[in-house]
Amino acid sequence: MARYKAAGVEPGQRGMNGPQTTGRQYRNLSPVLHEMTREDNVPVPVRDGTELLADIHRPDAAGRFPALIAAAPYPRQLQDLGAPAAFIEAGASDFWVPRGYAHVIANLRGTVGSGGAYTFFDGQERKDLYDLVEWVAGQPWCDGNVGMIGISYYAMTQLAAATQRPPHLKALFPFNVTVGAREAAYHNGLLSEAFIIPWFHALGVLSAHGDRLYRKGLSRLLRRLLAVPAVHRRFSRTDGVQATRGLRLVSHFRHDAHPWNDLLEAVLTDHPTRDAWWDDRDLTGLLADVHIPVYLGGEWSNVPLHLTSLFRARDALAHNPHVRMAMLGDHSLPWPWESMHIEALAWFDHWLKDRDTGILEGPAIRYWLPGAEQWRTADVWPPQATHVALALGADGSLTADERPGERSYATDGANSMPAQLSWTSDPLPDDIDMVGHPELRLTATSSATDTAWILLLQDVGPDGKTSDITQGWLRAGMRHVDEDASEAGRPALTLRARIPVPPGEPVAYRIPLVANARRFRRGHRIRLILTSDDNRKDFQPMLLFSHAPVGTAGINTVHSSSRLLLPILEGE
């Protein structure tokens, strides 16, 4: 047994980076009462005889306690390392255990010592998660109440487990979640090359090692160094750009080809369009069977990875009265993930310990409004708004009145033509609040049979400084959009086949931009950038998530009949 200093926000506790609540005060939260003991590399049998490995952190006391499970393909041994690495996302054991929870961190099959072969978010993974939950519930130190916790892949496995309805799973706290694996690999038909390829390679590298590297020698020294408060505080503003660069760095090391390259080939070559393989890795329809409490969350800056899927998850859980959602501002989910733990404690104390914490009081949705720098609330998502239409003028203006004409750019940057276009509004006479799902109704002509439409929405200050807000993407050859938009006012994409674009003929496209929130302040301007290639030096995509080129070269022409639709809160 080892003794630990409890993490928290009170004097004498190990400080944690990031916001801990959505600006609220809670009551009757579990106090710090326990020391921590741990068991490493515990085998967890699943129904086909495969054994998963788990590290179990639990109170060093007699009795039974509720358990929180974090399961992912990332090294369980490194979740307490304290490094600003994007795979340290299971939560802080030294916060949960002293407050009377067991924290079980498990590796999915085929990763970091767990048996079997990794299968990438499919039906087999869901069965394993059911078995993991029920195994934990049956342990002598567990009182039968099980929750799940963690961000990113650790959030994905929460919803995946819940779709199987294990009897002892009582509540979830999935932040930065993705409900369909395809959404991590493709953006409306465009391959998210800068993420998905290094991600699979990095998984192979991380799974090639074990305790010798992750628990001994240099890792011990790193733990002591990273635990120094001054060092730890420097990680409070780690963001997705740094995480993307770190992912690429790890991916360059050697690793076994199987199964990582096999799965990557399936993503890139065998299943470039939505098919049954992807359907097996999509939870959307399965979420109708989820009735346990779910606290969804994310941060507005996570545009190219989890944000679209977060709102799809909320839509799919609309039948569930026990769903709450929080949307956070920049740097709210830094690595190592330990933010929002007080909020999560209020949630799990309520559902797993039957403590009156106040977590259910007030509206079901709380969101940070960047620009206004304040919390807002709503009972429904998106909040009631009017979609204001701005025309893409032939003179580069973004205005309510159309300025007729057209503008062209070269998709390959040739012929001395620009490789992107932008439209900018006049300075705003008043503050306006955009909250919800923007969309571009684009009318364009292409000289090629296929092209990429890549959008970037920006806030431009009076001094010319720009802030990226959100993005949108669409492969023209996969342009089919269900005209029966959802109640939220956003289109549902159907991307199962490619149909060539008729060269030289105007085509109407509906391109959703990822939902977001922003106060455009008085004197600021709104800018929309459009390109077909985000690998150029003069265009930096959000979080550095660039896309594989479509492979066609030509001239794209945008007609002034195109409209940018912005959801502006009513009354503004």
Side-chain angles (χ1 to χ4, degrees), residues 298-303 307 327-332 366-376 381 431-436 459 467-470 515-522 524 542 569 572:
E299 57 184 344
W300 291 124
S301 59
N302 198 285
V303 167
L307 204 51
M327 293 306 307
L328 313 176
D330 288 346
H331 308 295
S332 293
R366 295 179 64 83
Y367 65 94
W368 183 256
L369 183 59
E373 308 308 315
Q374 60 186 222
W375 288 104
R376 294 286 187 88
W381 181 265
D431 294 351
I432 60 171
D433 293 343
M434 181 200 79
V435 182
D459 181 344
S467 299
D468 295 341
I469 302 172
T470 190
N516 224 278
R518 185 77 178 192
R519 169 167 289 179
F520 293 99
R521 301 194 67 87
R522 180 173 180 264
H524 285 229
M542 296 182 73
L569 293 187
E572 299 188 40

Side-chain angles (χ1 to χ4, degrees), residues 484-504:
D484 296 324
S486 69
E487 291 182 3
R490 52 196 180 278
L493 296 176
T494 305
L495 302 172
R496 291 185 181 269
R498 295 178 187 156
I499 296 179
V501 176

Side-chain angles (χ1 to χ4, degrees), residues 177-213:
V177 70
T178 291
V179 296
R182 184 172 172 82
E183 293 176 321
Y186 288 89
H187 291 146
N188 299 341
L190 296 176
L191 176 66
S192 185
E193 181 181 52
F195 170 73
I196 197 64
I197 293 176
W199 182 77
F200 269 113
H201 289 322
L203 276 190
V205 172
L206 293 170
S207 281
H209 301 281
D211 285 5
R212 183 176 179 181
L213 177 64

Side-chain angles (χ1 to χ4, degrees), residues 275-323:
D275 58 14
W277 192 84
W278 287 113
D279 290 344
D280 187 34
R281 292 163 171 79
D282 193 327
L283 304 179
T284 308
L286 301 176
L287 291 178
D289 291 329
V290 175
H291 301 281
I292 63 173
V294 180
Y295 196 131
L296 293 166
E299 57 184 344
W300 291 124
S301 59
N302 198 285
V303 167
L305 185 53
H306 295 300
L307 204 51
T308 295
S309 204
L310 169 62
F311 295 110
R312 279 219 300 137
R314 178 167 178 83
D315 290 347
L317 290 167
H319 65 280
N320 186 340
H322 305 302
V323 175

Side-chain angles (χ1 to χ4, degrees), residues 250-298:
V250 172
S251 72
H252 291 312
F253 292 93
R254 291 186 60 186
H255 63 279
D256 293 335
H258 179 75
W260 318 107
N261 290 2
D262 302 334
L263 288 168
L264 186 55
E265 183 177 357
V267 169
L268 303 181
T269 306
D270 300 339
H271 306 283
T273 58
R274 193 181 298 275
D275 58 14
W277 192 84
W278 287 113
D279 290 344
D280 187 34
R281 292 163 171 79
D282 193 327
L283 304 179
T284 308
L286 301 176
L287 291 178
D289 291 329
V290 175
H291 301 281
I292 63 173
V294 180
Y295 196 131
L296 293 166

Side-chain angles (χ1 to χ4, degrees), residues 28-37 56-60 64-69 92-104 136 141-143 145-149 171 341-355 357:
N28 198 31
L29 299 179
S30 291
V32 172
L33 295 176
H34 305 286
E35 295 290 341
M36 179 160 62
T37 187
I56 300 172
H57 309 255
R58 56 186 177 84
D60 184 30
R64 300 182 176 219
F65 303 89
L68 300 178
I69 296 174
S93 299
D94 60 347
F95 176 87
W96 293 107
V97 174
R99 291 168 174 83
Y101 289 87
H103 192 201
V104 179
V136 168
W141 40 262
C142 181
D143 66 3
N145 292 299
V146 178
M148 294 185 74
I149 197 168
H341 275 41
I342 298 296
E343 193 96 358
L345 180 64
W347 182 252
F348 287 121
D349 272 358
H350 177 90
W351 294 111
L352 303 188
K353 292 187 176 183
D354 197 27
R355 299 174 75 101
T357 65

Side-chain angles (χ1 to χ4, degrees), residues 528-540:
L528 179 70
I529 299 174
L530 171 64
T531 185
S532 295
D533 180 6
D534 55 9
N535 287 281
R536 305 185 328 275
K537 292 182 179 180
D538 60 344
F539 184 94
Q540 180 170 303

